[in-house]
Structure formats: C-alpha cells, structure tokens
Amino acid sequence: MDRSEILSADPEIMSGATVFRGTRVPVETLFENLASGMSLDEFLGEFPTVERAQAEAALLLAAEDLKRLVA
C-alpha cells in the first residue's frame, strides 16, 4: 500500500493531524494505544473505521522509517 492510500492530512480534519485515510482517527492514536498495551485487535474494535490493512501498513511504514533513521 502506498502512503497516500493509508494516510491523509487536511487542515480541516482533526486540525491537520495525520489520520487514517477516510477516517478521523489520528495515526498517533494507534501507536499510543499499542504502547499502552492494547492489542491491534482491540484497537480495531475501538476504532472500526480503521481497516486492518491500513493499521498494518502504518506499522510497516513506521518500521521502515526507523530503519532509515538508524542506517
């Protein structure tokens, strides 16, 4: 999945925060919830507008970005 298929940012949606495309759920919410111990399945249950493929792709994109930072 391409970044633009997963994420969007619009100043008129959630004050321009990066959200999952087609939702009002900030991507940051995924990471905060996972960091607090919530499972991906629990997150998806709490935020049903986020598709599993979007969440998994966001995690992969974050991992790729971290690899670039370390390299």
Side-chain angles (χ1 to χ4, degrees), residues 21-37:
R21 180 165 292 290
T23 78
R24 298 179 62 81
V25 180
V27 175
E28 182 178 353
T29 303
L30 169 65
F31 294 101
E32 289 172 348
N33 280 277
L34 292 176
S36 72

Side-chain angles (χ1 to χ4, degrees), residues 44-61:
L44 295 170
E46 292 289 322
F47 299 94
T49 57
V50 178
E51 297 173 11
R52 177 175 290 279
Q54 288 177 305
E56 290 175 349
L59 292 169
L60 289 173
L61 287 171

Side-chain angles (χ1 to χ4, degrees), residues 8-17 19:
S8 67
D10 180 332
E12 297 193 24
I13 299 173
M14 300 299 291
S15 301
V19 299

